[in-house]
Amino acid sequence: QGVDVKKKRPLSLRDRGEQRNAAGSLDAHDIHEFRNDIINAVRMPPKTQQETDLEIATDADAHNDSQARACNGGHFLVTSFGRSSLSQTGDGHFSPIAAYHEPSDSCLVLDVARFKYAPYWVTVKDLYDAMIPEDKATGQSRGWLLMYPPTKGKHGSKKSLTVEEIEGKRPAACVPLAGSGVSLC
């Protein structure tokens, strides 16, 4: 089924020089948009498949992608940042954001390298600033990803998946016989 991803990156010093994309607009986003994306992600995460199916069944008017996304709930937010900017070892890193604390303007980073770093709180400004330095591999600043569930009806199908399909399981009859390399389904 996949996932829909929207990539965003912070305004770097180069962007502040007003480099524009082919459409004539800046392809970078400020700290206020980053903060809003965090808040939206933690306050309205994607819904479960069952919740989504129920809402689609009761709302036949969900025709376009934005309505379908709203019906699916929200998004998850994953950041790509330079660890050294946060006084950590290593360089580029991806981590999901799990919570936002408004009084301190901080977010909870769920580090995917749990053996190295436990989940930790960091201010939105510090995390935003950690995305700005140029990535040596791409020559651009890092950024954040908004990850949405796949939109319903995008490919003309509103079929609900079975538990087996969701978990990636196949019926025994479809598993290739040992050594044959031939799938029966």
Side-chain angles (χ1 to χ4, degrees), residues 142-158:
R142 291 176 169 86
W144 64 100
L145 305 170
L146 304 180
M147 302 178 74
Y148 299 89
T151 53
K152 293 290 182 184
K154 189 172 185 179
H155 302 289
S157 172
K158 292 186 180 182

Side-chain angles (χ1 to χ4, degrees), residues 105-127:
D105 193 34
S106 298
C107 57
L108 179 62
V109 177
L110 294 183
D111 204 298
V112 294
R114 294 181 314 182
F115 62 90
K116 193 171 186 178
Y117 294 104
Y120 56 91
W121 289 92
V122 63
T123 66
V124 170
K125 181 182 181 343
D126 287 347
L127 186 55

Side-chain angles (χ1 to χ4, degrees), residues 52 55-72 151-154 158:
T52 302
E55 287 191 14
I56 286 176
T58 58
D59 183 14
D61 295 330
H63 292 297
N64 67 35
D65 279 354
S66 62
Q67 286 176 324
R69 277 200 178 121
C71 187
N72 282 352
T151 53
K152 293 290 182 184
K154 189 172 185 179
K158 292 186 180 182

Side-chain angles (χ1 to χ4, degrees), residues 71-133:
C71 187
N72 282 352
H75 58 267
F76 293 113
L77 188 143
V78 176
T79 59
S80 172
F81 58 92
R83 282 184 181 256
S84 59
S85 297
L86 297 178
S87 301
Q88 298 177 354
T89 60
D91 196 16
H93 191 63
F94 287 88
S95 286
I97 301 300
Y100 175 73
H101 184 251
E102 189 172 2
S104 64
D105 193 34
S106 298
C107 57
L108 179 62
V109 177
L110 294 183
D111 204 298
V112 294
R114 294 181 314 182
F115 62 90
K116 193 171 186 178
Y117 294 104
Y120 56 91
W121 289 92
V122 63
T123 66
V124 170
K125 181 182 181 343
D126 287 347
L127 186 55
Y128 183 85
D129 289 345
M131 293 185 288
I132 293 174

